[in-house]
Amino acid sequence: MNLKVLPITLLTGYLGSGKTTLINHILGNQKGYKIAVIVNDIGEVNIDADLIEKGGVVKEKDDNLVALSNGCICCTLKTNLIEQIAEIYDTGKFDYLLIEASGICEPIPIAQTIVAMNDMMHQQGLPDIVRLDAVISVTDSLRLVKEFGSGDKLLSQDIEEDDIENLIIQQLEFCDIIILNKVDEVSKEELAEVKAVIKHLQPNAKIIETNYAKVDLDEILDVKMFDFEKAVSSAGWVQELEKDDDEEDEDGHHHGEGEALEYGISTFVYYVRDGFNRKKFKNFVNDKWDSHIIRCKGVLYFKDQDSMSYMFEQAGTQKSLMEAGEWFVMLPKKKQDELRKMEPKLDKDWDEKYGDRMVKLVFIGKDMDKDKIVSELDECLEK
């Protein structure tokens, strides 16, 4: 029986970022790793002919599988990822697994699946069989310069472009390592600016600059960097939301100063206890949105339905508003008191008039007109 824990690296990045080049680099590794790679489409991974064993592509139960001469394999992603990982583990032939998330896939659900595998093992009193080692986001420097270089570029009307913008941000926010590829294709100034944007979106990830995705495997494999709790709270907007902001103006509003400007990139938090007028907020989002905002996320509520909290989210040109559950202030007083005792953060933020109701939005952008955004949001407050 195979008793070792199989480390897994999750690789994300949109089309053209250099993921396939990196996969080939890992598959042809000189470190002696026996690596299994699960990819979305084997056709996209143009594997070096010298690595493919005689017999080439092996068809097994209609699954594409390429066996390589150095003991590595490359196979196509199946719908049941847990089953597929278990099959690879059970062979006992591999000491590493690399999973490529498709360019149009968010990494969090895959990470949750891997974490869930170990939870299932624990429930049966069995030890871990896999370990998510790191989430790596491969990103193209030139693409980022185009996406983040100017607010106007974020206003593209092309739906596919919108999706890419949104995904780039999601993939940067949930990762341990960012491989900033094709750095030779941008100027030093552009690269510094892109890195400044990345640091606002994702302050914790290690950034590795590369060309042709050439990276020392010791920098990316078996680095033991992944921690689910840290990963979901590592995005810049989360950290800004959780910061204390004690400065309050005479209206009881907080408008966090945010970080010092660097290349025109800044962050600030809009924080008030009053609710928005639904129609005015909709008008602000649709007609008055500052195109220089790269990312906005946070909680809010409306005066016409003040029992319900909403999560507002924007990345590039995509915006969404979703119900996020009722505020705790709607619970019976006894339950409120119990929760406040258990949750110091809730107790600290509690207001005698509003309870836990609040509007708290984080803005990250380049050359944003903060005063204008704040005054237009203030206009949305129900007078």
Side-chain angles (χ1 to χ4, degrees):
M1 187 185 163
N2 181 17
L3 287 173
K4 37 178 207 190
V5 176
L6 185 68
I8 300 176
T9 293
L10 176 58
L11 196 59
T12 70
Y14 49 95
L15 295 171
S17 60
K19 256 189 325 183
T20 297
T21 313
L22 180 62
I23 289 168
N24 259 311
H25 176 54
I26 294 170
L27 280 171
N29 79 86
Q30 304 303 310
K31 302 274 181 188
Y33 280 116
K34 301 282 182 285
I35 297 176
V37 181
I38 299 174
V39 294
N40 284 281
D41 178 8
I42 280 195
E44 280 180 12
V45 183
N46 204 351
I47 300 164
D48 183 353
D50 294 344
L51 283 175
I52 299 176
E53 286 185 344
K54 282 197 172 68
V57 176
V58 185
K59 291 272 185 196
E60 276 184 8
K61 296 184 259 169
D62 297 326
D63 294 330
N64 273 342
L65 179 81
V66 180
L68 307 184
S69 57
N70 62 358
C72 297
I73 60 159
C74 191
C75 54
T76 310
L77 182 64
K78 285 196 262 183
T79 45
N80 190 330
L81 182 61
I82 287 184
E83 232 171 70
Q84 193 172 10
I85 293 171
E87 278 173 26
I88 288 168
Y89 177 84
D90 286 342
T91 66
K93 288 180 184 171
F94 303 101
D95 39 39
Y96 216 94
L97 174 59
L98 181 69
I99 300 173
E100 175 210 9
S102 90
I104 53 163
C105 178
E106 287 178 31
I108 294 179
I110 299 177
Q112 283 170 326
T113 302
I114 296 164
V115 171
M117 263 189 99
N118 283 337
D119 290 345
M120 283 156 56
M121 297 299 287
H122 294 166
Q123 280 161 18
Q124 294 168 45
L126 297 167
D128 291 355
I129 63 166
V130 294
R131 167 175 67 77
L132 187 49
D133 182 66
V135 178
I136 299 175
S137 175
V138 184
T139 188
D140 168 351
S141 306
L142 193 59
R143 185 73 193 238
L144 288 189
V145 167
K146 286 177 180 161
E147 296 291 344
F148 300 144
S150 148
D152 303 336
K153 303 250 172 58
L154 304 178
L155 276 181
S156 150
Q157 294 308 307
D158 182 335
I159 292 302
E160 191 188 341
E161 288 294 308
D162 289 358
D163 288 342
I164 286 173
E165 167 88 37
N166 186 31
L167 273 162
I168 290 170
I169 290 170
Q170 304 273 7
Q171 289 169 351
L172 287 172
E173 285 181 340
F174 187 83
C175 70
D176 303 295
I177 298 169
I178 294 164
I179 292 187
L180 195 50
N181 198 24
K182 308 183 190 179
V183 291
D184 280 356
E185 294 181 27
V186 298
S187 71
K188 280 204 167 92
E189 181 70 14
E190 285 171 332
L191 185 62
E193 192 173 310
V194 159
K195 282 166 77 175
V197 175
I198 290 172
K199 285 214 154 57
H200 277 72
L201 292 171
Q202 168 51 279
N204 294 343
K206 174 182 178 181
I207 299 174
I208 302 173
E209 296 173 27
T210 61
N211 290 298
Y212 307 105
K214 283 206 173 96
V215 59
D216 182 344
L217 297 195
D218 289 341
E219 296 248 14
I220 58 170
L221 299 185
D222 205 15
V223 288
K224 301 179 176 64
M225 285 174 82
F226 185 78
D227 176 314
F228 195 83
E229 293 308 312
K230 277 187 191 161
V232 290
S233 61
S234 66
W237 68 266
V238 179
Q239 300 198 11
E240 287 298 323
L241 266 193
E242 290 178 350
K243 274 184 190 170
D244 283 336
D245 184 11
D246 295 323
E247 286 179 35
E248 196 173 286
D249 62 23
E250 64 274 12
D251 300 324
H253 296 177
H254 299 236
H255 303 307
E257 270 315 304
E259 298 196 15
L261 297 183
E262 184 185 18
Y263 303 101
I265 298 149
S266 61
T267 304
F268 74 92
V269 180
Y270 178 87
Y271 176 33
V272 295
R273 300 309 293 241
D274 236 355
F276 284 141
N277 171 302
R278 195 181 292 264
K279 198 174 165 191
K280 286 180 180 176
F281 182 70
K282 194 176 172 187
N283 179 43
F284 165 76
V285 170
N286 293 336
D287 303 329
K288 296 182 178 177
W289 193 260
D290 183 338
S291 65
H292 297 86
I293 301 165
I294 293 171
R295 183 74 161 120
C296 174
K297 193 160 178 175
V299 290
L300 55 86
Y301 71 102
F302 299 111
K303 272 295 185 61
D304 64 4
Q305 187 197 6
D306 69 358
S307 60
M308 181 59 67
S309 71
Y310 284 84
M311 174 65 79
F312 175 76
E313 178 163 9
Q314 167 269 345
T317 50
Q318 287 200 347
K319 304 180 188 88
S320 67
L321 183 71
M322 285 189 324
E323 286 189 358
E326 289 201 330
W327 295 106
F328 288 135
V329 74
M330 302 309 296
L331 294 168
K333 178 83 170 66
K334 193 177 169 202
K335 191 76 186 152
Q336 285 177 28
D337 292 343
E338 278 173 26
L339 281 165
R340 283 175 65 182
K341 273 199 188 99
M342 284 160 56
E343 290 284 335
K345 178 93 176 75
L346 178 65
D347 191 52
K348 185 176 179 296
D349 287 341
W350 199 267
D351 180 273
E352 287 315 307
K353 181 179 173 186
Y354 296 103
D356 58 330
R357 290 188 199 96
M358 65 174 74
V359 171
K360 198 167 190 182
L361 297 168
V362 177
F363 290 86
I364 301 171
K366 178 172 160 42
D367 302 325
M368 292 185 293
D369 187 339
K370 180 192 157 188
D371 293 343
K372 189 163 181 273
I373 294 167
V374 165
S375 95
E376 282 173 348
L377 284 168
D378 285 348
E379 284 295 310
C380 298
L381 295 169
E382 191 80 80
K383 293 287 186 278

